[in-house]
Amino acid sequence: MNIKNYINGEFLSPVTNRWIDNYNPSIGEVYGQLPNSDVEDVENAYQAATKAFPGWSNTSIDERSKILSKIAGLLEEKLDFLAEAESKDNGKPFRLAKAIDIPRAAANFQYFANAITQFSSEAHESIGLDAMNYTLRQPIGVVSCISPWNLPLYLFTWKIAPAIAAGNCVVAKPSEITPMTAYLLGEICNEAGLPKGVLNIVHGLGTTTGQAIVEHPHIKAISFTGGTATGAHIARVAAPMFKKLSLELGGKNPNLIFADCDYDNMLKTTVRSSFSNQGQICLCGSRIFVEESIYEKFKTDFVKKVQQLKVGNPFDSETNIGALVSKSHLEKVKSYIAIAADEGGEILAGGEQVVVEGYENGYYLQPTIIEVKDNNCKLNQEEIFGPVVTLMPFKTAVEALALANDVKYGLSATLWTNDLKRTMRISKEIHAGIVWVNTWLLRDLRTPFGGVKASGVGREGGFEALQFFTEAKNVCIKY
Ligand code: NDP
C-alpha cells in the first residue's frame, strides 16, 4: 500500500516523485512505499499550515474541543483496523497495539479535547501601583512534531493533540520506519472535519525531510521525541533561530528492587518493564539492580519467567515478543549482546536471534538477560533499546542510588520497596523525570512527562504541553 503526504487536507505524492520502501518487520519484506519528501514538500506543508492558522487560532475552544473528541471517537471505532496496521508496520504484537497503542492515541485526543476547556491563565494585581496584569497564552503559529518508530501513533498524537488543541497549525513527521498509522490519521482528521491545513503530515527521511522541517525559518517550535544524538543535532540547528524546543530523548532506566517489596507483583511487572514492545520503550527498566539478600532468588525466578515468553508472529495471540522494528536495529541490539563476554558479563537468558517458522526473514530476538559485574560498562551505560536487560546486586540503598545515578541519562526510574522513608529519599535524590514506586508505566495524562540530563529538555503532558504550545504574553494596564 502506498502512503502519501497529507497536505492541506489532500493526499499528495512527493514533488520529486521519489519513494522509500516500507518494510513489514515480522516477515522482513517490503509491503509498500512512502514519500521521500524534500524541502519543497515541507514548504508546501508550511504554506498550508500558515494559511489555516488565522482561522484555526480564532476557532472557539468548544469547537476545537469537539473536533478533537471526534478524532478520538474515530480512533476508537477503528481500533482493530489501526492496531493491525500498527502491528504490521512495527512488528509489535497485535494484542499490544490493540490494548495500548491505539487506545492511548484516542486518549491523547480525548484528554486534550477536555484539557483545553480547562486551560486558563493568570491575573496579577499590582497592589499599590494601580495596575492590573493579565497573561495571554496565545498559540505560537506553525509548529512541528517529530516522532520515533517505537510507539508510532501513540507518540505522534501525544504531540499533535496538544499542539492543535492550543490553536497551532502543525507540520508533522513520523518516523520513516513506521509511517502507516500517521498516514491513516490524516484520513481520520478529514472524516472528523478538522479544517484543511491545520495538520499536515510530511513523510520521509529524518536527515532530509526532518532536517528541512527543523531548518525552516518560520516553523517556530519543535516538539521532538527520539534519540539523544538526534536531539542534540536538532538543538544545534534550531538554536540560532531561537525556536522553542521540547526534546524527549533516550533513557537507560534503573529498576531498583529491595528485599521488602511485594515480590510477586514486582517479578511480574519487571518482566513487563523489561520486555514490553520488545524492550523498545524509552521507559523500559533496562538496568535492574537487586538487593543482595534476594539477588539469587530473583535471578532464578526472573530467568525462568523470561524463558517462558513466546517470541513469534505478532498476529499470534500467544505471542509475547514480536519482531524488532528493522534489520539494522536488530543488528545494533545483537552487537551489544556480542560484547557481553568482553565486558565480563554473563548471558543468563536469551542472546540469540530467533527463526520463526513461516516468518523466517523477520527480525526476531530472544529476550535477553545479562549479569554484569560493573555499572561502568557499555551494556549499562549505553541505550540498547531492545529486549536486553542487565542485572547487578547491591548492598545498601546508598549504593543503589549511586548506581542508578551513575549514567548520563535521566528519564524514568522504578523503585520496589514498602519502606516509606526510603521511597521518599530515593524519589527525591534520583536523577529522573518520572519515578514509579511499586508499579511501572502507570500513566495519568495530567502529569508532567520528560527527562533530565541526556534524556531531554522540557516536559510534555497535562498543562505543561499546552504551555509549551503557547506563548505567554503579559498585558499590564495602569488605572
Ligand atoms: P531518531 O532520533 O533516529 O528519530 C526520531 C525522529 O527524528 C524520526 O522521525 C526521525 O526520522 C527523525 N529525525 C532523524 N534525524 C533527524 C534530523 N536531522 N532532523 C529532524 N528529524 C530527524 O530516534 P528513533 O526513531 O530511532 O527512536 C528511538 C529513540 O527514541 C530512542 O533513543 C528512545 O529512547 C527515544 N524515545 C524517547 C522517548 C521519550 O519520551 N523520551 C519515547 C520514545 C522513544 P526517521 O526515522 O525517518 O529517520
Side-chain angles (χ1 to χ4, degrees), residues 14-149:
V15 173
T16 56
N17 206 26
R18 285 189 294 134
W19 301 83
I20 303 167
D21 288 337
N22 191 17
Y23 281 79
N24 173 343
S26 69
I27 52 171
E29 280 172 21
V30 174
Y31 79 109
Q33 292 195 310
L34 64 137
N36 187 352
S37 306
D38 73 1
V39 179
E40 245 184 289
D41 301 290
V42 170
E43 183 58 30
N44 291 342
Y46 166 75
Q47 290 300 339
T50 301
K51 222 168 89 202
F53 181 67
W56 183 244
S57 55
N58 285 301
T59 297
S60 75
I61 298 289
D62 270 2
E63 181 61 20
R64 278 190 232 153
S65 172
K66 261 190 220 153
I67 294 175
L68 263 78
S69 265
K70 216 163 174 188
I71 297 173
L74 288 167
L75 287 166
E76 275 168 6
E77 254 176 48
K78 296 173 197 283
L79 174 66
D80 278 290
F81 170 67
L82 290 166
E84 191 180 326
E86 199 72 296
S87 174
K88 200 167 170 184
D89 212 26
N90 173 280
K92 68 176 69 207
F94 170 69
R95 214 157 32 112
L96 185 77
K98 193 170 167 182
I100 307 286
D101 291 74
I102 308 306
R104 173 59 192 275
N108 289 339
F109 276 102
Q110 192 54 59
Y111 172 77
F112 284 105
N114 297 337
I116 196 62
T117 66
Q118 303 300 314
F119 187 52
S120 58
S121 64
E122 311 81 40
H124 300 91
E125 185 183 3
S126 301
I127 295 168
L129 299 175
D130 288 345
M132 174 58 96
N133 296 271
Y134 64 90
T135 308
L136 279 176
R137 291 199 181 273
Q138 297 173 301
I140 299 171
V142 179
V143 301
S144 146
C145 302
I146 302 177
S147 59
W149 47 256

Side-chain angles (χ1 to χ4, degrees), residues 329-342:
H329 190 55
L330 172 72
E331 294 307 328
K332 179 190 149 188
V333 177
K334 278 168 58 185
S335 75
Y336 277 101
I337 297 172
I339 62 167
D342 297 344

Side-chain angles (χ1 to χ4, degrees), residues 146-150 155 173-177 204-207 210-211 214 224-228 230 233-234 248-251 282 383 385 411 449 455:
I146 302 177
S147 59
W149 47 256
N150 63 324
L155 289 175
K173 192 194 95 65
S175 170
E176 123 256 344
I177 302 166
L205 301 170
T207 45
Q211 183 78 15
V214 175
F224 169 83
T225 297
T228 294
T230 316
H233 171 77
I234 288 175
E248 301 292 337
L249 310 176
C282 53
E383 186 185 43
F385 212 58
L411 187 55
F449 180 92
S455 291

